[in-house]
Amino acid sequence: VPIHTFHGFAASVITEFQDHFPHLSKSGQITEVEAEMLIREILKQKKFNKLRPLGEPDFYVSKILSTISDARKEAWTPEMIKVFAEEEIKKIKGDPLGQNSSRVTLLKATDLKRIQKCERTILFAGVYENYEDKKRKERKMDFDDLIFELLKTLREDKLLLQILQEKFLYILLDEHQDTNDSQNMIVQVIADFFETPNLFVVGDEKQAIYRFQGASVENFI
């Protein structure tokens, strides 16, 4: 009976089935300093000027790295984030409440602020995409990549998915209230082999304390 943490499970699959992860071969762990240097290099591109405030060009560096980590835990790709932000801008601009003459000034100021935030989010999606590309080219991985790469591969590689589904016929998941979206999706994808999966979940919503790591009571429910 194999017993794993989520990251340990992802690492064991990537190690055992290396031929299904050729892009990760010879990849090394990226350090915090290397990650910051990559973001600084990306932000020097002219299209990201708005993320380099005058006088403090590194203002967003740590925030960007933190948000990339959050995005991975929620299984959000750069494209998903970009599309979401673009749709939000369309909704804001088409908001019929903006025609309400009694609140038009307040709504315009509020809406402009929301649009500005969405535009920054689109820029962030571009930085996020660049960061992933550069990491891949330099054969670097961070801790969050283990889960993210496994989930991505399971969605695209039907053979590997079937191998794991046939190998792990019974799944016991402990402390489930502390799982984040990407971890939860790995369980769902593997358990989906059966119409009625052999899945036993243990958890207590009153102990859901890891929201800062992407955990959600909704996943447990």
Side-chain angles (χ1 to χ4, degrees):
V1 179
I3 300 173
H4 296 286
T5 62
F6 278 102
H7 289 89
F9 174 71
S12 71
V13 172
I14 291 169
T15 301
E16 184 177 353
F17 301 99
Q18 291 182 25
D19 53 324
H20 291 265
F21 301 88
H23 60 294
L24 298 183
S25 65
K26 299 179 182 176
S27 291
Q29 186 79 14
I30 192 170
T31 66
E32 287 183 21
V33 173
E34 288 172 330
E36 287 184 5
M37 285 173 65
L38 269 185
I39 295 297
R40 286 195 186 97
E41 183 185 337
I42 292 164
L43 291 180
K44 287 177 183 176
Q45 296 178 46
K46 191 175 180 181
K47 60 183 176 180
F48 299 128
N49 278 349
K50 287 184 179 178
L51 296 179
R52 299 183 78 237
L54 282 173
E56 202 170 347
D58 293 339
F59 180 77
Y60 286 109
V61 171
S62 60
K63 290 180 174 65
I64 287 170
L65 283 169
S66 173
T67 309
I68 287 174
S69 180
D70 290 341
R72 298 261 208 51
K73 287 164 186 168
E74 302 292 353
W76 296 336
T77 64
E79 183 61 23
M80 288 166 65
I81 293 171
K82 181 185 174 188
V83 168
F84 176 80
E86 287 173 342
E87 289 299 317
E88 283 297 299
I89 291 174
K90 287 178 188 174
K91 286 179 190 174
I92 295 165
K93 288 183 175 179
D95 187 354
L97 292 175
Q99 305 304 314
N100 187 328
S101 57
S102 63
R103 298 179 60 202
V104 69
T105 305
L106 176 61
L107 278 172
K108 277 187 175 178
T110 306
D111 290 347
L112 285 172
K113 192 72 178 173
R114 287 166 64 197
I115 288 171
Q116 189 182 62
K117 189 173 181 180
C118 287
E119 287 172 344
R120 259 202 309 264
T121 301
I122 292 169
L123 286 176
F124 161 75
V127 174
Y128 179 11
E129 186 175 28
N130 269 251
Y131 177 71
E132 294 302 318
D133 288 342
K134 284 183 177 292
K135 262 196 326 178
R136 205 170 292 115
K137 285 173 184 172
E138 295 184 16
R139 295 191 178 278
K140 293 290 184 180
M141 285 182 66
D142 58 29
F143 195 56
D144 294 321
D145 280 323
L146 292 169
I147 300 288
F148 197 79
E149 288 289 348
L150 176 59
L151 182 57
K152 179 174 176 287
T153 303
L154 289 180
R155 284 171 169 165
E156 299 169 356
D157 189 333
K158 298 305 179 187
L159 176 58
L160 178 62
L161 175 59
Q162 188 174 339
I163 290 170
L164 294 183
Q165 287 174 330
E166 292 176 1
K167 182 175 181 178
F168 298 101
L169 299 175
Y170 297 85
I171 302 171
L172 177 111
L173 187 59
D174 196 17
E175 301 292 357
H176 183 249
Q177 75 278 353
D178 296 333
T179 58
N180 59 44
D181 283 0
S182 56
Q183 293 168 341
N184 211 47
M185 284 179 191
I186 286 174
V187 177
Q188 287 179 316
V189 168
I190 294 174
D192 195 45
F193 184 68
F194 296 103
E195 196 170 323
T196 306
N198 296 306
L199 176 62
F200 194 102
V201 171
V202 183
D204 177 2
E205 76 278 6
K206 295 183 180 66
Q207 294 183 42
I209 59 174
Y210 290 112
R211 187 61 196 138
F212 68 93
Q213 289 183 351
S216 169
V217 175
E218 285 75 19
N219 282 339
F220 181 45
I221 293 170

